[in-house]
Amino acid sequence: LWLWRADHVQLRPKEEPNFPQISGKYRQTERGECEVKNGLVVEAGASNVTIVGLAVEHATEDQIVWNGEYGQVYFYQSEFPYDVDHSYADNKFAGYRVGPNVENHKAVGLGIYSNFRDYDVKVGTAVVHPANGYGSRGIQLRNMFTVKLDNKGKIGSIVNGRGPGPTVDSEKGHPYRCLNETCSGSEGE
């Protein structure tokens, strides 16, 4: 399932590209256009939802919010929006958020990427989950990583403030990994 807020649209006849250094064929979406708060919200009453192959890109708040019990995701790919400003980080939006009341959730193979085109946005963490007693609460997250694709900004950490994340000076495309929900066993620079 691919849930995508447009990051670019086809040019109208005789329209000039607004970011020709990125593409001469497309108009790049700018702040305030094609607004979508979240790519996916799984409500609290939705239990035992399983998704194999989920991609959510460019939503203007949390990319995904999972409030249902016993949810499972196998392979998740996400990209933060290009056109947000510093308020995106100030509001602590994330690429994958497990709601604060969720007691059981499993996700395997999460990749969250940044490509902040317009502002030097510094997101605190890519993945958020209930941190109090995660082991006993049944929160299982495996094989997560972040990547800085291009441009400005950074993702400070991988999960709940743990695990190294790309910095503003990181090599483009270099993955930073966490093996589990506590980020014990992580690798980066």
Side-chain angles (χ1 to χ4, degrees):
L1 178 62
W2 184 26
L3 304 168
W4 182 67
R5 171 188 171 241
D7 60 339
H8 64 278
V9 295
Q10 188 172 1
L11 293 171
R12 289 176 279 194
K14 300 184 183 192
E15 181 182 14
E16 295 294 321
N18 56 344
F19 288 89
Q21 72 278 16
I22 296 173
S23 172
K25 293 183 175 185
Y26 297 100
R27 182 182 189 290
Q28 303 297 307
T29 303
E30 296 185 74
R31 188 169 162 80
E33 297 177 331
C34 306
E35 290 287 320
V36 175
K37 285 185 179 183
N38 312 106
L40 177 67
V41 176
V42 177
E43 297 294 343
S47 296
N48 297 301
V49 174
T50 298
I51 299 177
V52 178
L54 175 61
V56 177
E57 296 186 338
H58 315 130
T60 55
E61 294 184 8
D62 288 325
Q63 300 307 293
I64 182 174
V65 180
W66 201 291
N67 291 315
E69 283 294 334
Y70 298 99
Q72 296 182 73
V73 174
Y74 298 92
F75 179 80
Y76 174 73
Q77 180 269 321
S78 180
E79 189 174 273
F80 285 118
Y82 302 169
D83 56 334
V84 292
D85 66 10
H86 301 97
S87 66
Y88 190 82
D90 295 343
N91 286 314
K92 299 183 182 197
F93 294 128
Y96 192 97
R97 182 178 301 277
V98 179
N101 298 317
V102 173
E103 293 186 8
N104 297 282
H105 185 82
K106 182 177 184 178
V108 178
L110 308 175
I112 291 107
Y113 318 135
S114 70
N115 187 13
F116 298 115
R117 182 190 65 213
D118 300 341
Y119 296 93
D120 189 23
V121 179
K122 293 177 175 72
V123 170
T125 195
V127 178
V128 175
H129 67 82
N132 52 339
Y134 42 75
S136 62
R137 290 176 59 106
I139 304 295
Q140 299 175 41
L141 305 174
R142 300 291 180 264
N143 301 321
M144 298 162 283
F145 71 94
T146 60
V147 172
K148 178 183 177 179
L149 296 177
D150 203 357
N151 291 314
K152 304 171 185 174
K154 71 175 191 168
I155 302 170
S157 66
I158 299 170
V159 59
N160 284 7
R162 294 184 182 98
T167 67
V168 292
D169 299 319
S170 292
E171 179 184 344
K172 296 176 193 175
H174 179 82
Y176 292 79
R177 296 181 175 90
C178 276
L179 300 179
N180 58 41
E181 63 277 351
T182 65
C183 272
S184 61
S186 60
E187 60 182 71
E189 290 185 304

